[in-house]
Amino acid sequence: MSSMYLPKLAKIVEVIEMTAIEKLFKLQFVNEEDAKSFTFKPGQFVEVSVPGVGESPISICKSPTRPGPLELLIRRVGRVTNAIHKLKPGDVVGIRGPFGNGFPMEKMKGYDVLLIAGGLGIAPLMSVLQYVVDKRRDYGDVILLYGVRSYQEALFRDMIIDFIRHPEKAGLRTFLSYEREDPVFVSLMKDHPENVRKGVVTVLFECADPYIKPDKVCAVVCGPPIMYRFVLKELAKRNIPPNNIYITLERRMKCGVGKCGHCVVGGATAIKYVCKDGPVFTYSDVLSVRGLV
Amino acid sequence: MRYVKLLKENFKDFFENLKKFGEVHAPVKRGNSFSFAKVDSPSEVALKYNRTILPPKKYFIKPFEEVLKIKVGKGYEPLVEEPKSLILLGLHACDINALKILDSIYLDEPPDDYYQIRRTATVIIGISCEPDDYCFCKSMGADYAWTGFDLFLHELDNSYLIRIGSSRGEVMIESMKNVISEPTKEDFIKLRDIELKRSRMFKKALNTSLLPDIVDSLYESDVWVKFSDKCVSCGSCNLVCPTCRCYDVTEKVELNLKEGVRVRRWDSCFIRSHALVAGGLNFRPTRLDRFRHRYNCKSSIEPRTNSPFCVGCGRCSAFCPAGIDHVDVLNAIWGLT
C-alpha cells in the first residue's frame, strides 16, 4: 500500500501569530524517516489534517534551501483551519504531500524575478523569495510588489518594512501598497515615497517600472482571484512573454493527486487539474484554459 | 484475438465454472430496472438488458467507503481491504470502455491503491447488446470493446462466440474445455451480420467531430441557459455516469471523540459545494456554471486513451428527472435542433 492518502504525523514546534486571523506554524515530522524523505519545490503545497476534523490544502511557506521545520502560513477561514488555529506547540497534525508542480526555478535562472503578492498570496511566494535570495547568483534583480489592506492585516510586516528601509541589506527592491491608512504605513510612505503607495497592488507598477526589463524578467504572481485579472493585464501591457509569467492558484483540492475531480478547470479542449497540472500555471495557460483565473 | 464457441445449452456449466474463479456479479432485473448484483445461478442473470442504473464503477470506487481509521490526537491508519476475486459478467461494450477511462485516471501515477486492488482482482466478461432509444455509444466510438475485458460473449442464434481478451481469460477458457468448442466459418459470418445489423440500429447520434471545440467555443450559447433552467441540480447524471469519478472526503468521529474514520463518497459537480473553497468563494457559483462544466468535462478528450470522457451509455438521459437528454443538449449546441 503506497502512502499517498495516509497523512504523516508532524508535531507543531512553534506558532507565530502574524495577524488576527493568520498564524505561521512550524512543523517537525514525528518519524525521522518521514522528515528525511520529505523534499519539496517552491510553490508546492501539502494537505494538512486535523484528525477528526478534516484536511485542507496549504502552500508551503518556505524555501527548500533553508533547513529546519516545515513552515505553513494558515489563515483561519474554514472548519479545518479553525481547528488548526486552536493547536499549540506539541500538538500533532497530519501532513500529506508535497503536491503540485511548483515554480520552475531552473527555468527562471538568469532572469530578474518580479514577485507580485496580494494579502495571503505572499505565503507561497515566500518560498520563491527565499529561494532566489539564497541562490542570489543564479538570478538577476529581485523585485517584490506587495499589496495589503492595512498594517494590521499585512503579513511579515516587520520584514517588509525592513526590506524597504534597508534595500541594500535585503538584496531586493520592495514596493508596498496599502488600502487603509494607518500611522506606520503613512510614515513609511513619507520616508520612502518611491516604494510605498496607497491603493491596490497595481498602483505599484508605476514605482517599479524603471526596474522592470520585460525581456529579462520572470513574473511570479499570487493573490486573491480578483487580483489576477488586473495584474496580468498590467504585465501583458509591459510585453512580458506569457510564458515568463507564473501564477499559483487556489481550488478545493481534496486529494492532491488528480483523482477527486474538485479542482478540475478548463473547457472541453483543455481540462486541467489544479492540484496536479498546477497550482502553478503560466499566463499562456491562462489564455488557453477556460476559467483558470 | 482467439475465439471459442459456447452453446447456450452449456451456459449453465460455463456459469458454474466461473464461480471457481470468484464471486459472480451480473445484471439482474429489479422492478423495471436493472442492477449489477451478486448472482448464484444463471437464472438470476438478465443477459438481455438495456442498462443498469448504476454502472460497474460502483465495484471500484465505492459510493461510500472508509479509507482511514482515525485515532484523535494520534493520527491515521490505513484501512485496506483484502482483495476479493470478483467476476463481473455481462458488461456492455460502453461500460468496458468507461472502465478504461476510469483506469486512465485512477491507475495513472500515482495509482489509487483502493481502486487498483479491486481492479486487479476483478475479471471482466462482456456481452453483446442492442441499442435502445438512449444509446449513442456508436457516436462516441465506444460501441465495441477491442480491449479491456477478459472474455466477451457475442450472442449468435443458439450460441455465444467468445472473444478472449487476456491471458486470465485464456486460463479460464482452458479450464472449460468440456463446455466450449471451436467456432466455424459460419459463426463468424453470423457475427459479422449481427454486428452490421446492430450498427444500423442506433437511433440516437451525436456529431463528435470537433465536439470539444464546439462545446468550448460556444460557451456563451443560450442553449446552456435554456437547458440549465430545466435542470434541478440533483446530480443524478453524475451518479449514474460510468466515467464520472469525483469523490468527496469527510471525517466521522465516534461519540467517545477518540476514534473515527476518514470516508470518501461519490460527489457531484452539480452540488454547490463542489467548487466552493474555504472563505465562501465559489468557482462555479451558478447552476449554469455547473451545467456547462459537466458538458465541458464529458466532451473533453482523455489524453492517455485519446477518447472522450463520455461513452454514450445513455444513463444520464434515461435517469434525468428533468428529462434533459445529453445528445439533445449537444445537438442544440451544434444547431441541429
Side-chain angles (χ1 to χ4, degrees), chain A residues 80-140:
Chain A
V80 178
T81 49
N82 257 294
I84 296 169
H85 266 246
K86 286 186 187 134
L87 301 177
K88 294 183 174 48
D91 289 339
V92 168
V93 295
I95 299 283
R96 289 196 300 128
F99 297 124
N101 55 356
F103 291 101
M105 301 312 299
E106 280 298 311
K107 240 182 95 192
M108 285 161 63
K109 268 189 184 170
Y111 284 90
D112 291 349
V113 179
L114 169 63
L115 299 137
I116 304 170
L120 185 57
I122 192 87
L125 295 203
M126 194 51 69
S127 64
V128 179
L129 181 64
Q130 291 176 351
Y131 192 93
V132 293
V133 165
D134 292 348
K135 296 185 178 256
R136 202 65 197 80
R137 265 178 277 167
D138 289 344
Y139 300 91

Side-chain angles (χ1 to χ4, degrees), chain B residues 2 11 49 144 152 197 201 217 302 310:
Chain B
R2 187 185 157 204
F11 186 76
Y49 71 107
Y144 197 80
F152 197 102
K197 189 177 144 216
M201 285 168 76
S217 62
E302 202 291 308
C310 168

Side-chain angles (χ1 to χ4, degrees), chain B residues 3 5 154-157 159 161 183-198 200:
Chain B
Y3 308 85
K5 182 175 173 176
H154 286 272
E155 187 183 5
L156 306 182
D157 301 335
S159 65
L161 189 70
T184 62
K185 192 177 153 196
E186 286 71 32
D187 291 326
F188 290 114
I189 289 170
K190 255 185 234 164
L191 174 68
R192 180 199 66 184
D193 291 346
I194 287 169
E195 284 300 323
L196 200 59
K197 189 177 144 216
R198 176 177 178 264
R200 287 172 178 156

